[in-house]
Amino acid sequence: MLNRRRFLSAFAAAAAFPWLSSAARAQESAHESSTTSLPPALAALKNRRHEATPITSAEREQRFEHARELMGKEGIDAVVMIGGTSLVYFTGIRWWNSERLFVCVIPRKGAPFYVSPAFEEDRAREQIRSAPGGAEARVYTWQEDENPYVLVTRGLNDLGLTSGKIGIEERVTFVFSDGIHKAAPGFEIVSAIPITAGCRAVKSSAELKLMQLANDITLSVYEAAWKSIHPGITNAQVSEWIGAAYGLVGFPGDASCQVDEYSALPHGSIQPQMLKEGSIVLIDDGCNVDGYESDISRTFTIGKPTDKMKQVFDMVHRAQAAALAAAKPGVACGSVDAAARKVIDDAGFGPNYAHFTHRVGHGIGMDGHEWPYLVRGNPQLLQAGMCFSDEPGIYIHGEFGVRLEDDIHITEDGAKLFTPQSPSLEEPFANA
């Protein structure tokens, strides 16, 4: 999937470097074969695919039952999903979305059913057979000149439903949800977020193991990249190294690399950047291990940091620790953001979003960003098994920025980091 950082990295890598000297351009050209000539620290990374244990069919069956329990509580009679993360979560089916309607409908009672283009039926059934309820699932097919939306109503009618609430998964496109609404006038269309997020937000032990592996891998790749970085290379080259290193360990991943004044832009810039002695460098993003994401940021310097850089790093480090300490079951999501923000405000980098310009964290799991969010005013209470990024930052426009990001999971008595905090700008992986 093309996320925001992958987009920026690709854009930057494709951009010309008209401001670089001819010598620098020659050096950049010499690095273009990085995927086959990685620096030693990166080339030494080993394939770790064997460490990942996939989610079982039995666990997906449990997810179906949990979804139905939540549907009962919310008064929702069926949930509609198109291709995407939630469909994979519940069924294991991977489907590319086009303008043609393909949906899975999970009813509160009865077997799931599917609506598929007729010419895709064989391909659909191939995956449906392995999904929960696949043996009993009906597949309603439509030809190119037919209205597919009436088949959603027909499937519900065949289950004895002529009215009620249809929950639409949040990534369903408007044209599909509108088509279903028009074809099912006896039903109320509502959001399925209480069901999908209600299931996905709390991770199982199997999910936590995959996320732990994703975080371990990301940190090992980052450390190898840090050992390889030197003045005279570009930020695009660092991103290419990291992408190639993920290929070596056996899982897809990437990273944004932002340098000096561009590190003050939380999601970076497409401008080409050169790393120099004394530069501050921010790398961010992660990898995907059997469908589960990591999201880690590290900020460090090439050589000796300035006193101001060290002061800012110390405040961000304290803010990250404060958020970790505040996160525990029964605490409101917004309180975790407040704990980190107070440290930064008290240090003179406030008020509000003056220099800490974003929330302290987002839910993470099968999507890099998912429900719930650690943001001001969010009253949702934390539960054991929820996972988040913990990523405070201080950004000084035109100078530099510092962000420290590790992922955490909520336990019965607090919160735990998947990866250790970064101790300093000069030794960012000393505790790893």
Side-chain angles (χ1 to χ4, degrees):
M1 182 179 292
L2 186 67
N3 63 27
R4 64 174 186 275
R5 299 185 189 101
R6 189 170 295 144
F7 172 80
L8 287 170
S9 297
F11 199 112
F17 288 82
W19 304 281
L20 302 181
S21 67
S22 57
R25 286 198 298 273
Q27 183 180 43
E28 179 67 10
S29 177
H31 282 297
E32 286 179 354
S33 60
S34 62
T35 56
T36 55
S37 58
L38 285 170
L42 288 157
L45 293 168
K46 304 298 183 184
N47 189 288
R48 300 180 66 176
R49 276 223 56 88
H50 64 282
E51 297 180 43
T53 301
I55 299 299
T56 64
S57 297
E59 181 157 332
R60 294 196 198 281
E61 294 277 3
Q62 293 170 1
R63 294 171 178 179
F64 261 57
E65 293 310 309
H66 188 199
R68 287 176 169 134
E69 290 173 10
L70 293 176
M71 280 190 254
K73 293 177 181 177
E74 297 290 333
I76 293 176
D77 297 285
V79 168
V80 175
M81 297 178 293
I82 61 172
T85 308
S86 288
L87 184 66
V88 176
Y89 176 85
F90 286 108
T91 69
I93 295 172
R94 300 178 184 277
W95 197 266
W96 176 76
N97 295 310
S98 71
E99 75 283 4
R100 297 181 173 99
L101 182 74
F102 176 90
V103 295
C104 169
V105 181
I106 301 176
R108 192 196 317 178
K109 297 179 181 179
F113 69 87
Y114 298 80
V115 174
S116 170
F119 75 92
E120 297 274 36
E121 182 178 0
D122 289 345
R123 186 167 75 93
R125 286 188 182 277
E126 183 179 48
Q127 296 193 66
I128 291 168
R129 280 193 293 270
S130 300
E136 299 83 27
R138 295 186 181 185
V139 179
Y140 297 84
T141 62
W142 56 279
Q143 298 294 348
E144 295 279 58
D145 60 342
E146 295 177 332
N147 180 353
Y149 304 108
V150 298
L151 298 179
V152 176
T153 305
R154 184 180 304 168
L156 293 171
N157 292 166
D158 288 346
L159 290 169
L161 291 171
T162 56
S163 63
K165 293 183 179 179
I166 301 175
I168 303 293
E169 201 270 340
E170 63 185 299
R171 300 303 174 90
V172 175
T173 53
F174 174 78
V175 67
F176 291 165
S177 60
D178 186 54
I180 293 168
H181 173 68
K182 291 174 180 175
F187 291 87
E188 180 184 356
I189 303 297
V190 299
S191 171
I193 288 174
I195 313 305
T196 53
C199 289
R200 289 175 51 189
V202 176
K203 274 64 178 179
S204 69
S205 59
E207 292 177 293
L208 291 173
K209 287 177 182 177
L210 290 170
M211 293 183 68
Q212 182 67 65
L213 180 56
N215 279 271
D216 290 345
I217 286 171
T218 293
L219 200 65
S220 68
V221 168
Y222 279 10
E223 183 174 12
W226 168 68
K227 290 177 179 177
S228 307
I229 285 172
H230 56 81
I233 62 172
T234 67
N235 66 318
Q237 182 60 54
V238 175
S239 294
E240 289 167 11
W241 280 351
I242 291 174
Y246 280 129
L248 287 180
V249 298
F251 299 99
D254 55 22
S256 164
C257 175
Q258 304 299 323
V259 184
D260 295 328
E261 67 267 29
Y262 298 108
S263 64
L265 305 176
H267 286 162
S269 167
I270 62 173
Q271 294 302 315
Q273 302 157 44
M274 180 73 78
L275 282 69
K276 308 178 294 293
E277 185 69 28
S279 283
I280 193 166
V281 181
L282 194 162
I283 55 176
D284 178 29
D285 221 321
C287 67
N288 183 297
V289 170
D290 275 16
Y292 287 83
E293 300 278 346
S294 60
D295 193 1
I296 297 176
S297 298
R298 286 292 180 267
T299 305
F300 52 86
T301 54
I302 301 178
K304 188 175 178 59
T306 66
D307 288 344
K308 186 174 184 178
M309 289 175 182
K310 289 191 287 186
Q311 177 197 15
V312 170
F313 180 94
D314 183 57
M315 290 304 104
V316 174
H317 192 277
R318 292 185 190 179
Q320 188 186 39
L324 179 68
K328 57 190 65 176
V331 169
C333 287
S335 297
V336 182
D337 181 271
R341 203 165 296 280
K342 184 178 187 304
V343 173
I344 290 174
D345 286 355
D346 288 350
F349 291 99
N352 299 315
Y353 296 96
H355 291 95
F356 178 13
T357 56
H358 52 76
R359 66 198 172 206
V360 77
H362 52 80
I364 186 169
M366 291 185 72
D367 285 323
H369 288 201
E370 62 183 41
W371 300 92
Y373 298 99
L374 302 178
V375 63
R376 174 186 289 174
N378 184 358
Q380 183 171 352
L381 302 182
L382 300 179
Q383 300 177 54
M386 287 182 170
C387 298
F388 302 91
S389 66
D390 179 0
E391 52 175 313
I394 293 175
Y395 309 96
I396 303 172
H397 192 72
E399 294 186 49
F400 65 88
V402 172
R403 180 167 68 255
L404 298 177
E405 179 181 15
D406 294 278
D407 299 332
I408 65 174
H409 60 95
I410 309 301
T411 67
E412 293 292 344
D413 54 3
K416 183 179 179 181
L417 290 165
F418 285 105
T419 45
Q421 280 187 283
S422 177
S424 72
L425 287 168
E426 294 172 283
E427 296 290 337
F429 300 95
N431 292 338

